[in-house]
Amino acid sequence: MSKPRVAVVFGGRNSEHAVSLMGAGSVLDAIDRSKYEVVPIGIAQDGRWVLAASGQRYAIEAGELPVVETTGAALALPSGGGPLVAYDPGSIPVELGSVDVVFPVMHGPYAEDGTIQGLLEMAGVRYVGSGVLASAVGMDKAHMKTVLAAAGLPTGRYVVVRDRDWRLNRECVLKEAEELGYPVFVKPARAGSSQGISKASDRAELESAVEFARQHDPKVLIEAAIVGREIECAVLESPGDEPAAASMPGEVKVEGGQEFFDFEAKYYPDQMSLTVPADIPQETAEELRALAVRAFEALDCEGLSRVDFFYTPGGELILNEINTMPGFTALSVAPQLWAASGLPYPALVDHLIQLALARPVGLR
């Protein structure tokens, strides 16, 4: 019998392009080649789909972020589960064979936000991770908080700043935001990897922070600061009709003097530490795991998610956000949480592929 063909897709047209490549490099290293046939596919920053070149770089080297090399063969998208075809200039198309499942190791707009999921749904191709709606809601932090609150989950106070409001009613927006009390955190509503986030302690800083966030997204979220420890939990879909499983909770701490968990803290060495299990009471850990699963179910997530909480000095758990395609290098938080919970990275990758292979195409 032929081995299932897995297309690992990475890159994309957004500021998290490099983060995607770093995760894809780990996935490509971890996939069992005796069990699967693997096709690495990059989406360049200009939107071109290419068969990854043999010399494609996936890691940060000498401080330089990786990008999709466009020297590989250009690709036509699969349709209806049919053959994936590579086109080399001046040559006859080479059939690569049918794709059984796509593993989109992608983050941010035009990737993790339901767009690539919708494309794959239209093409009738199975894929790893959440579907269109869960991905879109998970990407948009404003809608995410609305859904989580409607499900009875504890969330913090925030203000949504839409493009029109900022352009036409800036003073009203600033007054509403100031009712949250300083300091506040300002972030793009639809970005990840801590891109575009800053802290504001007065009105001048607030205006600058909104303008900075708007460089990534015209829709911005302003959040009241929450004093508390950052505790994270990974959730994984189970096969069949079994309920989703939650990992051990882990505590994230920022090193090197940063005030919050920014891009450098996430992706550069020695900037972040993770303690698993988190040093919290057992009953709190169990409550947190249950809340993480409830968040996963509230968005109708599939595959995996990472759910982030604040644990306040008073013992309260506040859900900060859910990430439907968390950072996925072997050293990222979600894979580390699962490794500490007894599921090492290669087994995690295999589990996700098997879930996708078993998933029916179409509405479910």
Side-chain angles (χ1 to χ4, degrees):
M1 295 179 62
S2 60
K3 295 182 287 188
R5 173 164 283 216
V6 180
V8 178
V9 181
F10 52 88
R13 296 188 297 113
N14 60 52
S15 59
E16 295 175 75
H17 182 94
V19 176
S20 170
L21 270 80
M22 289 186 271
S26 292
V27 170
L28 290 167
D29 286 342
I31 292 180
D32 184 352
R33 303 305 173 101
S34 69
K35 189 173 181 179
Y36 303 106
E37 187 177 354
V38 180
V39 183
I41 297 174
I43 302 178
Q45 290 170 315
D46 62 4
R48 279 181 288 172
W49 292 54
V50 298
L51 184 63
S54 58
Q56 173 65 57
R57 180 168 59 88
Y58 296 96
I60 298 173
E61 293 180 2
E64 185 177 348
L65 296 172
V67 297
V68 170
E69 303 290 342
T70 55
T71 54
L75 295 176
L77 301 185
S79 177
L84 178 67
V85 178
Y87 294 95
D88 274 315
S91 66
I92 298 173
V94 179
E95 184 175 296
L96 298 179
S98 297
V99 173
D100 296 292
V101 64
V102 170
F103 197 139
V105 190
M106 301 183 70
H107 312 288
Y110 314 115
E112 184 188 350
D113 60 351
T115 49
I116 191 169
Q117 291 78 13
L119 179 105
L120 295 171
E121 291 282 358
M122 293 280 287
V125 178
R126 292 175 173 84
Y127 56 92
V128 169
S130 289
V132 176
L133 179 64
S135 298
V137 174
M139 187 79 256
D140 190 313
K141 296 176 180 66
H143 289 303
M144 173 207 302
K145 289 179 181 291
T146 298
V147 172
L148 294 175
L153 293 158
T155 59
R157 297 164 57 230
Y158 65 96
V159 168
V160 180
V161 183
R162 294 175 173 82
D163 180 54
R164 177 182 173 86
D165 294 334
W166 185 246
R167 289 186 290 105
L168 302 181
N169 300 300
R170 181 176 299 201
E171 183 65 23
C172 292
V173 169
L174 292 170
K175 286 182 178 179
E176 184 182 7
E178 288 180 324
E179 290 177 5
L180 297 173
Y182 288 113
V184 293
F185 285 93
V186 183
K187 59 184 68 173
R190 295 163 293 193
S193 298
S194 297
Q195 299 274 14
I197 297 180
S198 51
K199 182 180 179 181
S201 299
D202 56 39
R203 176 168 285 207
E205 290 182 356
L206 177 58
E207 285 198 75
S208 296
V210 173
E211 292 292 354
F212 177 53
R214 280 169 53 83
Q215 294 176 22
H216 295 266
D217 186 352
K219 185 177 180 180
V220 172
L221 208 68
I222 302 173
E223 297 178 329
I226 298 172
V227 177
R229 297 156 61 189
E230 294 191 42
I231 312 293
E232 305 192 354
C233 183
V235 181
L236 191 61
E237 181 185 354
S238 298
D241 295 326
E242 293 297 313
S247 72
M248 289 183 185
E251 180 173 4
V252 171
K253 292 183 179 178
V254 178
E255 310 292 347
Q258 286 95 334
E259 286 194 271
F260 57 93
F261 201 33
D262 61 7
F263 181 87
E264 285 72 21
K266 285 185 175 181
Y267 296 106
Y268 284 84
D270 305 322
Q271 299 295 303
M272 181 270 289
S273 65
L274 176 66
T275 303
V276 189
D279 184 16
I280 57 179
Q282 181 63 32
E283 60 271 20
T284 302
E286 292 306 314
E287 179 187 359
L288 184 145
R289 295 175 73 220
L291 289 172
V293 171
R294 282 178 56 193
F296 186 89
E297 293 173 344
L299 268 66
D300 282 339
C301 292
E302 297 170 277
L304 75 162
S305 289
R306 192 196 69 235
V307 188
D308 304 342
F309 294 86
F310 291 111
Y311 179 50
T312 71
E316 183 182 7
L317 289 169
I318 299 174
L319 203 163
N320 183 32
E321 64 181 61
I322 181 170
N323 193 318
T324 58
M325 182 54 74
F328 210 71
T329 72
L331 297 178
S332 296
V333 172
Q336 284 198 69
L337 291 174
W338 279 117
S341 302
L343 189 67
Y345 189 77
L348 174 61
V349 169
D350 183 73
H351 180 86
L352 291 169
I353 293 172
Q354 288 297 314
L355 286 173
L357 286 169
R359 177 192 298 178
V361 296
L363 297 176
R364 52 190 178 276

